[in-house]
Amino acid sequence: MDDPGTATLPSRAMTWSQDGIEVVLSLTSLITFIIRSYDVQDRYLEATNLILWIVEALLFLRYLLDWLAARKKTPHVVRRCEVLSLTSFSSSLVVPFLSNGWLPFNFLRAVTVTWPIRRLFEKLDFPEIYENVVLSLADFVAMIFSFAGIIFILENIGNPPGW
């Protein structure tokens, strides 16, 4: 988990609903990754791009608010979760401008979604056995989805031009 020394006072006081919204937005981003990995008609692809832009823009807004509230900016930016979020943001912004393929790094949301789930379980008082089971399942699904995303990239991106 992230270093608690880099957490800010406003981030500690966030409500469970904000973490819940982050989980829903991250899952929506993952669904767009799944849709884009199949050959779909152009109108569905355009709608998927629009949904991805909206979701990633909202998640980027959340990132900016957390960054502005952080006392120490550099440790905040270099945390694992934040680096993966920045990679996902940049990937989704480049999608419509690529003529050959796309940068499907929004599969990294599978890893970042585990942090708000953990924060939710810290705030909500469930029996420890349920917390451990759900968190273990979330980590397992994140690992599988991450491996699948990496394999998808390696198989479908192909060689760079000229190789």
Side-chain angles (χ1 to χ4, degrees):
M1 207 153 171
D2 291 332
D3 179 23
T6 60
T8 62
L9 292 176
S11 68
R12 289 182 187 153
M14 283 186 198
T15 63
W16 61 271
S17 62
Q18 290 172 325
D19 286 329
I21 290 170
E22 185 175 348
V23 169
V24 170
L25 290 174
S26 294
L27 292 176
T28 305
S29 179
L30 292 173
I31 290 169
T32 62
F33 174 81
I34 294 169
I35 292 171
R36 288 186 59 78
S37 65
Y38 292 100
D39 289 329
V40 294
Q41 297 175 359
D42 286 339
R43 63 181 175 165
Y44 296 124
L45 193 58
E46 291 173 7
T48 303
N49 286 341
L50 179 64
I51 291 169
L52 180 62
W53 269 29
I54 292 169
V55 165
E56 292 291 338
L58 291 171
L59 288 166
F60 186 66
L61 180 64
R62 168 86 187 259
Y63 169 82
L64 283 178
L65 292 174
D66 285 346
W67 180 78
L68 289 172
R71 287 177 279 166
K72 297 178 181 179
K73 306 294 188 205
T74 304
H76 178 79
V77 171
V78 296
R79 290 188 325 193
R80 281 178 294 171
C81 183
E82 306 306 331
V83 170
L84 294 176
S85 291
L86 287 173
T87 305
S88 180
F89 300 145
S90 60
S91 168
S92 65
L93 293 176
V94 176
V95 166
F97 304 111
L98 295 176
S99 58
N100 246 354
W102 55 291
L103 296 171
F105 290 121
N106 58 328
F107 74 88
L108 295 173
R109 287 274 163 220
V111 176
T112 62
V113 77
T114 59
W115 279 288
I117 291 173
R118 288 183 191 284
R119 287 192 305 259
L120 280 171
F121 276 112
E122 287 174 4
K123 294 172 187 168
L124 302 173
D125 191 25
F126 286 116
E128 189 173 341
I129 186 73
Y130 295 128
E131 289 180 16
N132 290 336
V133 167
V134 171
L135 292 176
S136 296
L137 285 174
D139 288 340
F140 179 74
V141 169
M143 179 185 65
I144 296 297
F145 205 89
S146 298
F147 286 144
I150 291 169
I151 291 170
F152 177 82
I153 287 174
L154 293 175
E155 287 181 353
N156 293 314
I157 285 283
N159 292 329
W163 282 62

